[in-house]
Structures are given as C-alpha cells and as structure tokens.
C-alpha cells in the first residue's frame, strides 16, 4: 500500500471511529425512538449534517474519494472534532503525503543538550520521532528512571509507559496517561505512515498489551503543548507537575519537555528533594535511533 492509499484508509477509519462516538442528540438530530443497529451516527446522518451526498461520504470512509478543504472543515464541525483531531484529519487527507520524511539517525541538538544541563532542579527530556528519548538530565532520571540502564532501542517513552513497571506505577491515573501518550503517538503515525520503526513499535505493543491494541483502534489523537501530570513518586510521594515543551528550530522533530511545580507548593518542595546532591548532570547519551 502506498503512502496516499494508507492515508485514505486511515482517514476512513478515523471518520468511522469518530461518528461511532457521537449520538444523534449530540449531533443536533431529533431523538429517534427504537433500537439503532449501529453505534453513534449513521453514514447517511453524517452526510445530511455535512450537506453532502451519502455516496460521497461513503466513498470517503472507504478510501475511494478525497475531500476538499471546505468538506473537511464541515466534517470537523459535524463530528465535533477538537483542534488536534481536526489537524490530524487534514493531514490524513493527503495534503502532506508528498512531503519527504527524514529517517536519518537523530542526535540531540547541542543547544538542547546545553539547556538540559543548565536545568539542575527541573526534570527535562528531549523526545524525537515516535517519542524516542534522545537525551535527559539528572532530574529526569531521578523522577522517572535511570534511562541509561535501558537499551537504546527500547528507550521510547510510549513503550516505557506501557511496558516499564516502575514508570507505570508512577502515574496516579495510568490509564488516562497511557491513552494520552498513545494519542500523541498516532499524530506521529500520520506524519510518516511508512516509518518501519514506528510500525515495529505499534506491532510489538499491540501484541504485548491488549489495552494498547484496543486504544490504538479507537484512532484517538492529541496535539497537546502543555498539561499536568499527577505522579506518585516512591521516594518523595505525590507530585502534581505542569509540563510543556519547546521545539528545536534546527530539527522540528525534537522536543524539549520540562516538568515544573508552582513555587511554594508541596510538589515544588518535594521535587527539589530529588535534585542530586551535586551539580553533576546525567550521562550524555548519543541515542542510537
């Protein structure tokens, strides 16, 4: 299957998954009585709400037709898509399918490496494509795990969230955190659907974890730039941390993720207890990605 066909097929699956989650009442249709044979909206109902023919919409779901931007805009409104889902749908439409993707080995940008070293009291990691962990500082190792002890080929954040017991145990609400992490990975999947390492990662986790397999099939996407993590650290106790990221201008596929707590809060004080006794920084991995 070529890249264009893969995008068309994924778009159809995404549309089907989204309409299955939207009830007629939520979509603004009359509350019909009687048992419905399909979950959520029917294809004909989506077509009606979007003012397009049922045949046109059916072809979209079957991957046999590409939608125009106005139609995509209308479908985003009809299906109540958020900003991340809307962006995902537009990428799946094939408008970026011809953009070449670089699969060269990623190495952390020097500027990000220096910034990591300077953040002596703030946990920070650099994530690359498919959420591969390219670098981290000593605080991140104290907060999450000693990444240096994990083989480079397994040093992937989504994989660790699903497969590493110590990291799973950190999250107060692991299921929510895992689903959000997976939804961000799906955004990566649409940007490079033919990435063999991404396919290998998804295949591995699908076989090993039934929840990953089930959640991956829901086609949830997320494009968050900030948020909050609630963690139960085995040494310092509960932590509520705000996270945000910076994108490297030299390599947009690299993101510096930082975690902080508000000054004067219990989490701020507990986080500082994780700081190493010296100013030493973590090992500087040259990730073999």
């Amino acid at each position: 299957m070529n890249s264009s066909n893969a995008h068309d097929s994924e778009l159809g699956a995404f549309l089907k998954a989204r309409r299955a989650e939207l009830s007629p009442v939520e979509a603004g249709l009359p509350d019909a009585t009687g048992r419905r044979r399909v979950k959520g909206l029917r294809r004909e109902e989506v077509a009606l709400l979007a003012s397009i023919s049922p045949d046109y919409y059916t072809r979209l779901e079957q991957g046999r037709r590409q939608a125009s931007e106005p139609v995509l805009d209308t479908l985003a409104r009809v299906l109540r898509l958020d900003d991340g889902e809307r962006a995902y749908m537009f990428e799946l439409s094939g408008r970026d399918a011809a953009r070449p993707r670089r699969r060269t080995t990623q190495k952390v940008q020097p500027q990000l490496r220096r910034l990591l070293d300077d953040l002596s009291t703030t946990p920070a990691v650099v994530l690359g494509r498919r959420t591969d962990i390219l670098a981290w500082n000593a605080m991140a190792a104290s907060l999450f795990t000693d990444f240096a002890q994990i083989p480079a080929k397994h040093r992937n954040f989504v994989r660790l969230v699903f497969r590493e017991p110590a990291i799973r145990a950190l999250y107060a609400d692991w299921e929510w955190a895992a689903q959000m992490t997976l939804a961000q990975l799906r955004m990566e999947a649409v940007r490079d659907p033919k990435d063999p390492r991404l396919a290998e990662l998804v295949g591995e986790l699908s076989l090993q974890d039934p929840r990953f397999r089930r959640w991956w099939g829901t086609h949830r996407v997320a494009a968050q730039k900030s948020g909050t993590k609630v963690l139960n650290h085995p040494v310092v106790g509960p932590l509520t941390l705000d996270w945000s990221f910076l994108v490297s201008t030299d390599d947009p596929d690299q993101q510096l993720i930082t975690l902080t707590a508000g000054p004067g809060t219990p989490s701020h004080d507990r986080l500082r207890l994780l700081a190493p006794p010296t100013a030493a920084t973590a090992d500087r991995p040259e990730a073999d990605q």
Side-chain angles (χ1 to χ4, degrees), residues 277-289:
T278 68
T281 57
D283 293 340
R284 299 187 176 193
E286 294 296 333
D288 184 16
Q289 304 293 345

Side-chain angles (χ1 to χ4, degrees), residues 61-255:
E61 278 202 6
Q62 293 175 344
R64 297 188 293 124
R65 181 68 184 265
Q66 290 191 337
S68 64
E69 289 189 16
V71 169
L72 292 174
D73 270 326
T74 301
L75 288 174
R77 174 181 53 79
V78 168
L79 297 175
R80 308 292 179 87
L81 304 185
D82 60 27
D83 290 344
E85 291 170 330
R86 182 182 181 279
Y88 179 70
M89 182 178 67
F90 266 79
E91 290 205 46
L92 285 177
S93 70
R95 305 189 187 283
D96 295 320
R99 183 179 60 189
R101 295 292 296 172
R102 296 180 297 114
R103 295 201 185 105
T104 55
T105 298
Q106 276 188 299
K107 294 185 182 296
V108 62
Q109 293 293 313
Q111 304 93 316
L112 295 182
R113 178 70 263 179
R114 290 194 297 269
L115 185 53
L116 275 177
D117 292 343
D118 286 341
L119 296 172
S120 59
T121 61
T122 298
V125 297
V126 176
L127 297 185
R129 294 188 291 270
R130 69 192 82 85
T131 74
D132 289 341
I133 300 171
L134 304 183
W136 60 92
N137 64 5
M139 281 293 289
S142 296
L143 178 63
F144 290 107
T145 190
D146 185 358
F147 298 110
Q149 299 302 312
I150 299 171
K153 66 179 182 178
H154 292 160
R155 211 178 284 150
N156 172 277
F157 198 75
V158 172
R159 189 184 189 282
L160 296 180
V161 166
F162 276 88
R163 302 298 299 162
E164 183 65 30
I167 291 184
R168 287 174 64 114
L170 273 177
Y171 288 95
D173 187 347
W174 176 83
E175 287 203 1
W176 180 87
Q179 290 184 65
M180 290 303 300
T181 306
L182 187 149
Q184 291 175 304
L185 181 66
R186 185 166 278 283
M187 289 294 291
E188 290 285 324
V190 72
R191 295 188 182 107
D192 192 3
K194 299 178 73 174
D195 180 356
R197 294 195 60 181
L198 178 60
E200 180 183 355
L201 174 66
V202 172
E204 173 197 351
L205 294 178
S206 295
L207 288 173
Q208 294 178 343
D209 195 308
R211 283 167 295 189
F212 181 96
R213 183 168 60 251
R214 183 172 70 253
W215 294 335
W216 186 258
T218 65
H219 296 268
R220 279 292 181 194
V221 294
Q224 288 184 291
K225 296 183 179 180
S226 61
T228 301
K229 290 182 182 292
V230 180
L231 307 176
N232 288 321
H233 196 274
V235 175
V236 299
L239 295 167
T240 299
L241 304 177
D242 298 320
W243 65 267
S244 59
F245 71 76
L246 299 172
V247 177
S248 169
T249 56
D250 293 329
D251 183 356
D253 287 333
Q254 293 192 31
Q255 302 173 354

Side-chain angles (χ1 to χ4, degrees), residues 27-66:
L29 293 173
D31 185 9
T33 57
R35 169 173 260 173
R36 295 171 63 88
R37 290 187 297 174
V38 297
K39 180 183 177 181
L41 294 178
R42 301 185 181 97
R43 286 175 175 171
E44 294 80 7
E45 290 169 332
V46 176
L48 173 65
L49 292 168
S51 300
I52 56 179
S53 72
D55 180 68
Y56 183 103
Y57 180 76
T58 298
R59 287 172 179 267
L60 284 180
E61 278 202 6
Q62 293 175 344
R64 297 188 293 124
R65 181 68 184 265
Q66 290 191 337

